[in-house]
Amino acid sequence: MPTKTLLIVAHAPSVNTKKLSQAAHDGANHPDIDIKVVIKSPQDTQPEDVLAADALLLGTTENLAYMAGLTKDFFDRCYYPVLEKKQGMPFALYIRAGEDGTGTKRAIQTITTGLRWSWIQEALILQGGWQDEFTAQVEELAMTLAAGVEAGIY
């Protein structure tokens, strides 16, 4: 039985962002990696879900140069309940951004700095028009995070 848990919080309001959340789920559930993977939408994620996780992968869209409102709501509800208990938690982020992505990245960096979460790599910004390789990039990110958590690297 897996002993570590990866929580994927994925905002997926469109067909393409659903492909990204599925890619994250598939990457984290690679057959060679033995961890528990939980995937939830931001609105369904509770502080207890974050407290039960060993790492978190967040996927969001960028709307008006900022994270999706439901992603912000997730942080609003979960920030203080997890603040003292999840410091150092391994964290990764992918952003589906039509134009830029830096506003969302900056905002999430500010929040996760306050939480003292540990970024495993720079944010993955999926910029511009839809490209099929976005799914492979998200799958690789999720696999990297999951493998590192399983191995105790993160």
Side-chain angles (χ1 to χ4, degrees):
M1 171 174 273
T3 58
K4 296 186 179 174
T5 300
L6 171 60
L7 174 62
I8 301 171
V9 179
H11 180 57
S14 69
V15 170
N16 286 337
T17 52
K18 282 180 179 55
K19 289 178 188 175
L20 297 177
S21 66
Q22 184 63 52
H25 185 266
D26 293 348
N29 276 304
H30 187 279
D32 293 338
I33 303 171
D34 184 27
I35 65 169
K36 178 181 176 186
V37 178
V38 176
I39 187 166
K40 291 193 165 216
S41 65
Q43 65 267 34
D44 291 336
T45 305
Q46 300 303 318
E48 296 76 26
D49 299 311
V50 179
L51 291 169
D54 296 292
L56 192 144
L57 173 60
L58 179 66
T60 189
T61 55
E62 178 170 84
N63 302 328
L64 305 171
Y66 196 71
M67 73 184 90
L70 290 172
T71 303
K72 175 68 167 65
D73 176 70
F74 156 72
F75 281 121
D76 287 344
R77 288 179 297 99
C78 295
Y79 188 93
Y80 288 107
V82 307
L83 177 61
E84 297 298 322
K85 297 176 182 160
K86 295 310 288 185
Q87 293 181 12
M89 181 163 70
F91 174 78
L93 168 68
Y94 68 88
I95 301 165
R96 177 64 189 111
E99 295 298 322
D100 185 37
T102 58
T104 297
K105 177 181 150 187
R106 235 185 343 269
I108 293 175
Q109 282 176 323
T110 300
I111 293 167
T112 56
T113 296
L115 288 165
R116 295 181 186 92
W117 288 359
S118 179
W119 287 63
I120 67 149
Q121 70 176 52
E122 186 69 24
L124 173 60
I125 300 177
L126 308 165
Q127 214 171 24
W130 175 259
Q131 299 171 42
D132 288 334
E133 61 262 19
F134 288 165
T135 56
Q137 292 173 304
V138 169
E139 186 172 352
E140 182 179 336
L141 175 63
M143 191 182 318
T144 299
L145 180 54
V149 168
E150 180 196 33
I153 295 169
Y154 307 126

